[in-house]
Amino acid sequence: MVTLQHHLILSVALFVIGATGVVVRRNVLVMFMSVEIMLASVNVALLAFSRWTLLPNGQALAMFIMAVMAAEAAVGLALVVAFFRLRRTVFVDEMKLLKG
Amino acid sequence: MVGEMQSMNTILFYLLAASAVFSALATITRRSPPASAIWLVVSLLSVAGIFGMLGAPFLAALQVLIAAGAVMVLFLFVIMLVDQGEESLRPRIVSFGRVLGAVASGYLALILILAIWKPPFVEAPKSGAAYEAPLTLALAVVGRYALVLELVGVMLLVAAVAAISLAKRDTTAGEG
Amino acid sequence: MDMVVALAKVAVIFAMVVGFVPVLIWMERKGAAYIQDRRGPNRASIMCVRAGGFLHSIADAIKLFSKEEVAVAAAFRPAYLAAPIIAFFVATVTVAVVPFSEPASFGGFPFSLQVADLKAGLVYVLAVSSLGVYAVMLAGWASGNKFSLLGAMRACAQTISYELAIGLAALALFMLAGSLSLSAIVEDQGFWPWRWNAVRQPLAFAIFFTAMLAEARRLPFDLPEGESEIVAGYHTEYSSMRFAMFFMGEYAHIAVGSMIMATLFLGGWQLPFCESGWITENFNLVLAVVWPGAALALIAVGAMLAKRFRRAYRDARDFEPLLFGALAAAAGLALLAALALGGGEEIPAWLPAAFLTALQTLTLLAKTLILCCAFIWVRWTLPRFRYDQLMHLGWKVLLPLAMINVVVTAVAVLMYGG
């Protein structure tokens, strides 16, 4: 039988994988994708709680999170494209204009 | 008959969960960004399947439509635009980053799981058709979360304007 | 038992969609030919049967199977192999929510020819069609060919622009029917043709039709495959079977798009002017009219065909009208014989429901064919849009019109209570 804890463990697993991706990878696009994984994991947790308490609040919040996900991807990718035009790199190690 | 459905549910959940976790792992470990993106699409589709199993078919369809169908298409566009070829997986600053990363994430996972592994371990309560209907979600969104809805609308507009103005080429007179 | 019925439904509906593709290819060729004032292909034959050029589809299939597979130094082989499969998959999976008939009960056993009546059926259709972008993008990128990539980028931009117009046009329908499930939308339309959504929402119909043309990448939105410009666009590097999958996928997309439009706007399985309850109640009368009528019609068609027999070619091809005429007349006579033999017997309980299901399925298929004819007609009439004209149309014309439509519909629903 599938309990609430199963879904929460899935959410934790995805969250941790996403966090690892953000920290370990140096390509800003892959970091963004890891953030997407984390957002998906949060949605899973929200929907699981919503299902077990039979309230629609979790579903509504998950919908808003999806909207935020889309907006964040749009703005973030626009920033990446703008920076690429400037310095022709997508590796965060080389994005150090403010350093020093 | 009920027993069959139960075990089918369990099998389906494990299948979808394994697929989601496996493709997420594949996403962060591929060398070429387009391959990462494709694996992320697979992961998001598996998560959409889990949404469907959690009694939210509308959100499952929305997840496919928005996350897998729009956001990831945008990602693939930009990846192909800035394709620098394959990159080495080894992070540039920390030298034994792979081992350190695995240990740190394992520790994080452990504390989080210990926090949630508490009784009661119950099955999902019976949900009527009312829970799965988009109508319930709609009433909650425009009723209780009306302000959030408006704010999210404004935020999307701001994001669209910001993205367009950030990515526009600088075509002032006198410059290339 | 449920499982067996569900699997049978899946098989039948899948076969219907896949079988639609050769018919559509034939219609395209003949339609193109008659619009261009010529006859179209009519030579391929098996012995003496030419069937008006229908066998060219089989000849096509044989040709595509036997072509050489050109090995390509692909940029990313898994994506190169998967792209045609995705294209075909997306088109076929959309049919899972299309209702082919009303829910009827076969002696207490509820049955409706619809694979899955999802509560969020309309959003499912939009979601699955948005996955079609991946087929194009992966094909273009993984081919390792700059022209393919260019074609793929254009195709993606076009597809995602027109997806918005489709979604907003469908939103107006959703407001009218009050539900996202396709069977509810079809039932809401009723059987009077002036209550169908094409009449209640003409603007939404026009927008949806135009956007569906763009989604299917048909002329006049043909730029990604611009046959005279960038070779074959994103499927340049595909040959033989893989190209056949793309080809079939494109026609399946047209067929399924027409099916969705027929369901949403033209009343789906509703037979105009006929209430299905009336048919089941007066089934004796209906059967008494339809059975002899069909028999007589078949005999008449057979006689007409046989009359056209004249020895013009002086070989086996002359006998074709005679062959088909004889078959039709024989079928008609067989029906008459069955009527004479079993005329007085009791009508089995499942017959009205089965008849209704078949009739409604045929109605939906007929409406789909009409819309496919419209697609073909538009293709061979209009010239191709330039890329910036295409984008201008999608964002600056269709999107504002769709939004205005939604607002007006919302006001009307509020005022007149739906």
Side-chain angles (χ1 to χ4, degrees):
Chain A
M1 64 169 195
V2 185
T3 65
L4 176 63
Q5 279 75 7
H6 282 84
H7 291 281
L8 290 182
I9 292 181
L10 170 66
S11 171
V12 164
L14 284 175
F15 188 85
V16 163
I17 291 175
T20 316
V22 170
V23 168
V24 170
R25 294 300 296 258
R26 299 288 103 194
N27 188 335
V28 69
L29 287 165
V30 180
M31 288 167 78
F32 258 122
M33 288 195 269
S34 312
V35 173
E36 300 286 324
I37 302 178
M38 289 161 79
L39 284 167
S41 80
V42 166
N43 271 348
V44 169
L46 267 175
L47 282 177
F49 277 118
S50 179
R51 175 76 173 83
W52 256 258
T53 58
L54 284 183
L55 293 172
N57 301 339
Q59 290 191 352
L61 285 176
M63 207 170 85
F64 293 133
I65 289 180
M66 271 191 241
V68 168
M69 186 199 288
E72 168 231 354
V75 175
L77 288 172
L79 275 173
V80 168
V81 166
F83 195 86
F84 182 77
R85 290 217 187 100
L86 194 62
R87 290 279 154 170
R88 295 213 70 89
T89 181
V90 287
F91 295 115
V92 290
D93 305 339
E94 298 161 21
M95 295 179 179
K96 46 191 183 189
L97 287 173
L98 285 175
K99 187 166 178 169
Chain B
M1 190 59 197
V2 175
E4 263 179 38
M5 291 302 292
Q6 295 263 2
S7 55
M8 227 173 63
N9 251 354
T10 317
I11 294 178
L12 198 58
F13 171 76
Y14 278 118
L15 218 59
L16 285 171
S19 158
V21 169
F22 178 69
S23 16
L25 275 171
T27 306
I28 66 173
T29 54
R30 294 303 102 192
R31 265 182 237 236
S32 66
S36 284
I38 296 172
W39 279 112
L40 183 56
V41 173
V42 175
S43 182
L44 288 173
L45 289 176
S46 318
V47 167
I50 301 218
F51 287 1
M53 283 187 61
L54 280 171
F58 182 70
L59 279 169
L62 269 189
Q63 168 86 347
V64 175
L65 182 60
I66 296 177
V71 169
M72 289 315 299
V73 169
L74 190 57
F75 261 104
L76 270 172
F77 254 96
V78 175
I79 286 175
M80 287 179 204
L81 195 62
V82 302
D83 198 3
Q84 299 259 286
E86 299 187 351
E87 77 168 281
S88 158
L89 265 188
R90 206 173 324 121
R92 311 292 186 88
I93 297 177
V94 183
S95 37
F96 34 89
R98 258 182 279 187
V99 173
L100 205 60
V103 167
S105 52
Y107 179 61
L108 178 61
L110 192 64
I111 3 179
L112 282 173
I113 291 182
L114 281 175
I116 60 176
W117 195 260
K118 296 188 171 72
F121 298 104
V122 288
E123 277 257 322
K126 286 262 159 288
S127 80
Y131 179 75
E132 299 196 5
L135 183 62
T136 325
L137 172 62
L139 286 174
V141 164
V142 300
R144 194 184 151 137
Y145 294 101
L147 182 60
V148 185
L149 180 66
E150 300 300 328
L151 285 176
V152 166
V154 171
M155 175 205 71
L156 282 170
L157 179 64
V158 168
V161 171
I164 293 176
S165 69
L166 276 173
K168 228 168 131 106
R169 271 189 203 279
D170 209 5
T171 51
T172 52
E175 292 188 0
Chain C
M1 185 61 195
D2 281 343
M3 206 50 165
V4 173
V5 170
L7 285 174
K9 270 196 268 191
V10 168
V12 165
I13 292 182
F14 181 72
M16 249 196 277
V17 170
V18 173
F20 218 93
V21 171
V23 174
L24 203 50
I25 295 176
W26 171 69
M27 269 172 45
E28 165 106 48
R29 292 210 166 114
K30 281 300 206 183
Y34 279 101
I35 289 177
Q36 294 171 348
D37 204 17
R38 56 186 174 91
R39 285 286 183 167
N42 57 4
R43 298 292 175 96
S45 66
I46 299 182
M47 306 252 274
C48 67
V49 174
R50 279 175 300 150
F54 190 75
L55 296 174
H56 272 267
S57 301
I58 304 181
D60 255 348
I62 299 176
K63 173 198 77 165
L64 282 170
F65 268 117
S66 56
K67 265 193 177 176
E68 176 191 353
E69 283 271 359
V70 178
V72 165
F76 192 63
R77 196 138 181 99
Y80 176 77
L81 295 173
I85 303 176
I86 299 178
F88 188 64
F89 171 80
V90 158
T92 353
V93 162
T94 317
V95 196
V97 284
V98 170
F100 281 85
S101 77
E102 200 178 20
S105 92
F106 284 82
F109 182 72
F111 176 81
S112 78
L113 199 59
Q114 181 182 18
V115 174
D117 189 10
L118 296 178
K119 277 183 216 57
L122 195 53
V123 189
Y124 167 85
V125 167
L126 293 173
V128 168
S129 70
S130 78
L131 286 179
V133 182
Y134 282 107
V136 175
M137 188 142 51
L138 291 178
W141 166 66
S143 299
N145 176 351
K146 286 190 177 50
F147 286 110
S148 295
L149 188 58
L150 191 58
M153 288 299 152
R154 281 190 190 172
C156 289
Q158 175 185 319
T159 308
I160 59 182
S161 312
Y162 285 85
E163 259 169 29
L164 281 169
I166 282 190
L168 281 176
L171 183 60
L173 297 180
F174 160 52
M175 279 197 274
L176 281 180
S179 164
L180 282 171
S181 97
L182 285 183
S183 53
I185 293 181
V186 170
E187 276 175 22
D188 174 68
Q189 290 183 63
F191 48 88
W192 299 115
W194 49 85
R195 293 196 62 208
W196 288 348
N197 283 332
V199 179
R200 288 195 288 180
Q201 295 265 315
L203 187 58
F205 186 39
I207 294 174
F208 202 97
F209 187 79
T210 314
M212 191 52 89
L213 270 176
E215 286 277 314
R217 288 181 289 282
R218 300 271 295 172
L219 269 157
F221 301 100
D222 203 359
L223 203 60
E225 307 173 6
E227 279 156 7
S228 42
E229 297 176 3
I230 42 176
V231 196
Y234 57 89
H235 48 73
T236 312
E237 299 285 345
Y238 286 88
S239 57
S240 153
M241 253 333 273
R242 308 208 181 106
F243 179 70
M245 285 291 268
F246 265 121
F247 195 54
M248 277 204 302
E250 177 181 334
Y251 280 100
H253 198 156
I254 296 173
V256 168
S258 305
M259 225 179 265
I260 300 282
M261 267 199 285
T263 307
L264 291 176
F265 288 98
L266 292 182
W269 45 254
Q270 308 263 13
L271 193 58
F273 305 113
C274 289
E275 192 183 343
S276 48
W278 184 88
I279 293 185
T280 35
E281 277 161 31
N282 308 27
F283 192 63
N284 287 318
L285 178 62
V286 169
L287 204 58
V289 167
V290 164
W291 200 339
L296 287 173
L298 277 172
I299 295 181
V301 163
M304 259 180 16
L305 279 177
K307 232 171 50 153
R308 293 177 49 135
F309 170 66
R310 58 182 70 85
R311 304 220 48 146
Y313 296 111
R314 297 196 184 285
D315 60 16
R317 285 181 292 179
D318 298 330
F319 292 100
E320 188 184 350
L322 204 56
L323 182 64
F324 279 115
L327 277 173
L333 284 171
L335 276 180
L336 276 181
L339 183 61
L341 284 175
E345 287 177 14
E346 192 66 32
I347 298 177
W350 51 265
L351 198 57
F355 178 75
L356 208 56
T357 303
L359 190 63
Q360 287 168 346
T361 310
L362 283 174
T363 313
L364 178 60
L365 290 178
K367 292 178 190 173
T368 309
L369 274 176
I370 293 175
L371 282 173
C372 289
C373 285
F375 267 74
I376 293 170
W377 185 11
V378 167
R379 175 180 181 174
W380 294 103
T381 313
L382 297 177
R384 184 178 296 143
F385 271 119
R386 217 172 49 223
Y387 186 61
D388 59 311
Q389 290 170 336
L390 208 148
M391 285 295 159
H392 172 90
L393 185 69
W395 289 96
K396 295 193 197 162
V397 174
L398 287 188
L399 198 59
L401 278 179
M403 281 199 263
I404 293 173
N405 185 38
V406 166
V407 169
V408 168
T409 309
V411 167
V413 167
L414 220 51
M415 279 189 358
Y416 298 113

Short mmCIF file of all heavy atoms in Angstrom, two decimals, chain B residues 66-104:
data_model
loop_
_atom_site.label_atom_id
_atom_site.label_comp_id
_atom_site.label_asym_id
_atom_site.label_seq_id
_atom_site.Cartn_x
_atom_site.Cartn_y
_atom_site.Cartn_z
N ILE B 66 2.73 22.88 -19.28
CA ILE B 66 3.59 24.00 -18.94
C ILE B 66 5.04 23.56 -18.78
O ILE B 66 5.92 24.03 -19.48
CB ILE B 66 3.11 24.67 -17.64
CG1 ILE B 66 1.73 25.25 -17.85
CG2 ILE B 66 4.07 25.75 -17.22
CD1 ILE B 66 1.16 25.85 -16.62
N ALA B 67 5.29 22.67 -17.83
CA ALA B 67 6.67 22.33 -17.53
C ALA B 67 7.32 21.58 -18.68
O ALA B 67 8.38 21.97 -19.16
CB ALA B 67 6.73 21.50 -16.24
N ALA B 68 6.69 20.50 -19.14
CA ALA B 68 7.33 19.72 -20.19
C ALA B 68 7.11 20.32 -21.57
O ALA B 68 7.94 20.14 -22.45
CB ALA B 68 6.82 18.28 -20.16
N GLY B 69 6.03 21.02 -21.78
CA GLY B 69 5.72 21.47 -23.12
C GLY B 69 6.15 22.88 -23.44
O GLY B 69 6.32 23.24 -24.58
N ALA B 70 6.33 23.72 -22.43
CA ALA B 70 6.70 25.11 -22.71
C ALA B 70 8.06 25.46 -22.12
O ALA B 70 8.95 25.92 -22.83
CB ALA B 70 5.63 26.05 -22.17
N VAL B 71 8.20 25.21 -20.82
CA VAL B 71 9.45 25.59 -20.15
C VAL B 71 10.63 24.82 -20.72
O VAL B 71 11.69 25.39 -21.03
CB VAL B 71 9.32 25.34 -18.63
CG1 VAL B 71 10.65 25.48 -17.96
CG2 VAL B 71 8.34 26.30 -18.03
N MET B 72 10.47 23.52 -20.91
CA MET B 72 11.60 22.72 -21.40
C MET B 72 11.89 23.01 -22.86
O MET B 72 13.03 22.91 -23.30
CB MET B 72 11.33 21.24 -21.19
CG MET B 72 11.40 20.83 -19.75
SD MET B 72 12.79 21.48 -18.87
CE MET B 72 14.13 20.79 -19.77
N VAL B 73 10.86 23.39 -23.63
CA VAL B 73 11.12 23.78 -25.01
C VAL B 73 11.98 25.03 -25.03
O VAL B 73 12.95 25.14 -25.78
CB VAL B 73 9.79 24.02 -25.75
CG1 VAL B 73 10.02 24.68 -27.09
CG2 VAL B 73 9.07 22.72 -25.95
N LEU B 74 11.65 25.97 -24.12
CA LEU B 74 12.45 27.19 -24.01
C LEU B 74 13.88 26.85 -23.62
O LEU B 74 14.84 27.38 -24.17
CB LEU B 74 11.80 28.09 -22.95
CG LEU B 74 12.32 29.50 -22.83
CD1 LEU B 74 12.20 30.20 -24.15
CD2 LEU B 74 11.52 30.22 -21.76
N PHE B 75 14.03 25.90 -22.66
CA PHE B 75 15.36 25.48 -22.25
C PHE B 75 16.14 24.93 -23.44
O PHE B 75 17.31 25.27 -23.66
CB PHE B 75 15.26 24.38 -21.18
CG PHE B 75 15.43 24.88 -19.80
CD1 PHE B 75 14.36 25.04 -18.97
CD2 PHE B 75 16.68 25.18 -19.34
CE1 PHE B 75 14.52 25.50 -17.69
CE2 PHE B 75 16.86 25.63 -18.05
CZ PHE B 75 15.78 25.79 -17.22
N LEU B 76 15.49 24.06 -24.20
CA LEU B 76 16.20 23.45 -25.34
C LEU B 76 16.58 24.49 -26.37
O LEU B 76 17.67 24.43 -26.94
CB LEU B 76 15.33 22.37 -25.98
CG LEU B 76 15.54 20.98 -25.39
CD1 LEU B 76 14.53 20.01 -25.92
CD2 LEU B 76 16.93 20.48 -25.73
N PHE B 77 15.71 25.47 -26.58
CA PHE B 77 16.04 26.57 -27.49
C PHE B 77 17.33 27.24 -27.06
O PHE B 77 18.27 27.40 -27.84
CB PHE B 77 14.93 27.63 -27.41
CG PHE B 77 14.04 27.66 -28.60
CD1 PHE B 77 12.84 26.98 -28.60
CD2 PHE B 77 14.38 28.38 -29.72
CE1 PHE B 77 12.01 27.00 -29.69
CE2 PHE B 77 13.55 28.42 -30.81
CZ PHE B 77 12.37 27.73 -30.80
N VAL B 78 17.36 27.64 -25.76
CA VAL B 78 18.52 28.40 -25.29
C VAL B 78 19.76 27.51 -25.29
O VAL B 78 20.86 27.96 -25.63
CB VAL B 78 18.25 28.96 -23.88
CG1 VAL B 78 19.49 29.63 -23.34
CG2 VAL B 78 17.12 29.95 -23.95
N ILE B 79 19.59 26.23 -24.94
CA ILE B 79 20.75 25.33 -24.93
C ILE B 79 21.34 25.23 -26.32
O ILE B 79 22.56 25.26 -26.51
CB ILE B 79 20.35 23.95 -24.39
CG1 ILE B 79 20.14 24.02 -22.90
CG2 ILE B 79 21.41 22.92 -24.71
CD1 ILE B 79 19.63 22.74 -22.31
N MET B 80 20.47 25.12 -27.33
CA MET B 80 21.01 25.01 -28.68
C MET B 80 21.63 26.32 -29.12
O MET B 80 22.52 26.33 -29.96
CB MET B 80 19.91 24.59 -29.63
CG MET B 80 19.54 23.15 -29.42
SD MET B 80 18.23 22.68 -30.50
CE MET B 80 17.58 21.32 -29.60
N LEU B 81 21.12 27.43 -28.57
CA LEU B 81 21.67 28.72 -28.94
C LEU B 81 23.08 28.89 -28.39
O LEU B 81 23.96 29.43 -29.05
CB LEU B 81 20.75 29.81 -28.39
CG LEU B 81 20.89 31.22 -28.89
CD1 LEU B 81 20.61 31.25 -30.36
CD2 LEU B 81 19.90 32.08 -28.16
N VAL B 82 23.30 28.44 -27.14
CA VAL B 82 24.59 28.66 -26.48
C VAL B 82 25.38 27.38 -26.38
O VAL B 82 26.18 27.21 -25.48
CB VAL B 82 24.39 29.25 -25.07
CG1 VAL B 82 23.62 30.53 -25.13
CG2 VAL B 82 23.71 28.27 -24.17
N ASP B 83 25.19 26.48 -27.33
CA ASP B 83 25.82 25.17 -27.22
C ASP B 83 27.32 25.28 -27.31
O ASP B 83 27.87 25.64 -28.35
CB ASP B 83 25.29 24.26 -28.33
CG ASP B 83 25.55 22.81 -28.02
OD1 ASP B 83 26.06 22.54 -26.93
OD2 ASP B 83 25.22 21.95 -28.86
N GLN B 84 28.00 24.98 -26.21
CA GLN B 84 29.46 25.07 -26.18
C GLN B 84 30.08 23.69 -26.26
O GLN B 84 31.25 23.54 -25.99
CB GLN B 84 29.90 25.72 -24.86
CG GLN B 84 29.37 27.10 -24.71
CD GLN B 84 30.42 28.13 -25.03
OE1 GLN B 84 31.32 28.36 -24.27
NE2 GLN B 84 30.28 28.75 -26.18
N GLY B 85 29.27 22.69 -26.60
CA GLY B 85 29.82 21.35 -26.64
C GLY B 85 29.78 20.72 -25.27
O GLY B 85 29.19 21.23 -24.34
N GLU B 86 30.44 19.59 -25.15
CA GLU B 86 30.38 18.88 -23.87
C GLU B 86 31.27 19.56 -22.86
O GLU B 86 32.26 20.18 -23.18
CB GLU B 86 30.85 17.45 -24.07
CG GLU B 86 29.96 16.73 -25.05
CD GLU B 86 30.29 15.26 -25.13
OE1 GLU B 86 31.32 14.87 -24.54
OE2 GLU B 86 29.56 14.53 -25.78
N GLU B 87 30.91 19.42 -21.61
CA GLU B 87 31.74 20.00 -20.56
C GLU B 87 32.20 18.87 -19.67
O GLU B 87 31.56 17.83 -19.57
CB GLU B 87 30.95 21.00 -19.75
CG GLU B 87 30.03 20.31 -18.78
CD GLU B 87 29.45 21.22 -17.76
OE1 GLU B 87 30.14 21.54 -16.80
OE2 GLU B 87 28.29 21.58 -17.95
N SER B 88 33.29 19.10 -19.02
CA SER B 88 33.75 18.09 -18.09
C SER B 88 32.87 18.14 -16.86
O SER B 88 32.43 19.18 -16.43
CB SER B 88 35.20 18.39 -17.72
OG SER B 88 35.49 17.79 -16.50
N LEU B 89 32.60 16.95 -16.28
CA LEU B 89 31.71 16.93 -15.13
C LEU B 89 32.38 17.41 -13.87
O LEU B 89 31.74 17.76 -12.91
CB LEU B 89 31.21 15.51 -14.89
CG LEU B 89 29.87 15.17 -15.51
CD1 LEU B 89 29.42 13.82 -15.02
CD2 LEU B 89 28.85 16.21 -15.14
N ARG B 90 33.69 17.38 -13.88
CA ARG B 90 34.38 17.74 -12.65
C ARG B 90 34.22 19.23 -12.40
O ARG B 90 34.50 20.04 -13.26
CB ARG B 90 35.86 17.40 -12.79
CG ARG B 90 36.52 17.14 -11.46
CD ARG B 90 37.94 16.64 -11.61
NE ARG B 90 38.12 15.78 -12.74
CZ ARG B 90 38.98 16.03 -13.74
NH1 ARG B 90 39.71 17.09 -13.73
NH2 ARG B 90 39.09 15.19 -14.74
N PRO B 91 33.74 19.62 -11.24
CA PRO B 91 33.59 21.05 -10.97
C PRO B 91 34.94 21.73 -10.90
O PRO B 91 35.95 21.09 -10.58
CB PRO B 91 32.88 21.09 -9.63
CG PRO B 91 33.08 19.76 -9.04
CD PRO B 91 33.26 18.80 -10.14
N ARG B 92 34.96 23.01 -11.24
CA ARG B 92 36.24 23.68 -11.45
C ARG B 92 36.95 24.03 -10.15
O ARG B 92 38.17 24.12 -10.11
CB ARG B 92 36.03 24.97 -12.25
CG ARG B 92 35.20 24.81 -13.48
CD ARG B 92 35.90 23.98 -14.54
NE ARG B 92 35.15 23.96 -15.77
CZ ARG B 92 35.27 24.87 -16.73
NH1 ARG B 92 36.10 25.87 -16.59
NH2 ARG B 92 34.55 24.79 -17.81
N ILE B 93 36.19 24.25 -9.09
CA ILE B 93 36.86 24.76 -7.89
C ILE B 93 37.15 23.64 -6.89
O ILE B 93 38.28 23.44 -6.46
CB ILE B 93 36.01 25.85 -7.22
CG1 ILE B 93 35.87 27.01 -8.19
CG2 ILE B 93 36.66 26.31 -5.94
CD1 ILE B 93 34.99 28.10 -7.68
N VAL B 94 36.11 22.90 -6.54
CA VAL B 94 36.33 21.84 -5.56
C VAL B 94 36.89 20.62 -6.29
O VAL B 94 36.34 20.18 -7.28
CB VAL B 94 34.98 21.48 -4.89
CG1 VAL B 94 35.18 20.45 -3.84
CG2 VAL B 94 34.35 22.73 -4.34
N SER B 95 37.96 20.06 -5.84
CA SER B 95 38.62 19.00 -6.60
C SER B 95 37.94 17.65 -6.46
O SER B 95 37.69 16.97 -7.43
CB SER B 95 40.10 18.90 -6.25
OG SER B 95 40.26 19.14 -4.88
N PHE B 96 37.60 17.21 -5.26
CA PHE B 96 36.93 15.91 -5.18
C PHE B 96 35.44 16.16 -4.98
O PHE B 96 34.82 15.65 -4.06
CB PHE B 96 37.49 15.01 -4.08
CG PHE B 96 37.97 15.75 -2.87
CD1 PHE B 96 37.12 16.03 -1.81
CD2 PHE B 96 39.29 16.15 -2.78
CE1 PHE B 96 37.57 16.70 -0.70
CE2 PHE B 96 39.75 16.81 -1.67
CZ PHE B 96 38.89 17.09 -0.62
N GLY B 97 34.89 16.97 -5.89
CA GLY B 97 33.50 17.42 -5.74
C GLY B 97 32.49 16.31 -5.82
O GLY B 97 31.44 16.37 -5.21
N ARG B 98 32.78 15.28 -6.62
CA ARG B 98 31.77 14.24 -6.80
C ARG B 98 31.50 13.52 -5.50
O ARG B 98 30.36 13.35 -5.08
CB ARG B 98 32.23 13.26 -7.87
CG ARG B 98 31.55 13.48 -9.19
CD ARG B 98 31.96 12.49 -10.21
NE ARG B 98 33.24 12.85 -10.79
CZ ARG B 98 33.77 12.20 -11.83
NH1 ARG B 98 33.16 11.18 -12.35
NH2 ARG B 98 34.93 12.58 -12.31
N VAL B 99 32.60 13.11 -4.82
CA VAL B 99 32.43 12.36 -3.57
C VAL B 99 31.78 13.27 -2.52
O VAL B 99 30.83 12.87 -1.84
CB VAL B 99 33.80 11.86 -3.07
CG1 VAL B 99 33.66 11.25 -1.70
CG2 VAL B 99 34.38 10.89 -4.05
N LEU B 100 32.32 14.49 -2.42
CA LEU B 100 31.78 15.44 -1.44
C LEU B 100 30.31 15.70 -1.68
O LEU B 100 29.49 15.72 -0.76
CB LEU B 100 32.56 16.74 -1.53
CG LEU B 100 32.58 17.58 -0.26
CD1 LEU B 100 33.20 16.79 0.85
CD2 LEU B 100 33.39 18.84 -0.50
N GLY B 101 29.95 15.88 -2.98
CA GLY B 101 28.56 16.14 -3.33
C GLY B 101 27.67 14.99 -2.91
O GLY B 101 26.59 15.19 -2.34
N ALA B 102 28.12 13.76 -3.21
CA ALA B 102 27.29 12.61 -2.87
C ALA B 102 27.11 12.51 -1.37
O ALA B 102 26.00 12.27 -0.87
CB ALA B 102 27.93 11.34 -3.43
N VAL B 103 28.19 12.71 -0.61
CA VAL B 103 28.09 12.58 0.85
C VAL B 103 27.16 13.65 1.42
O VAL B 103 26.28 13.36 2.24
CB VAL B 103 29.50 12.70 1.50
CG1 VAL B 103 29.38 12.90 2.98
CG2 VAL B 103 30.31 11.47 1.18
N ALA B 104 27.36 14.90 0.97
CA ALA B 104 26.53 15.98 1.50
C ALA B 104 25.06 15.76 1.20
O ALA B 104 24.19 15.93 2.06
CB ALA B 104 27.01 17.32 0.93
#
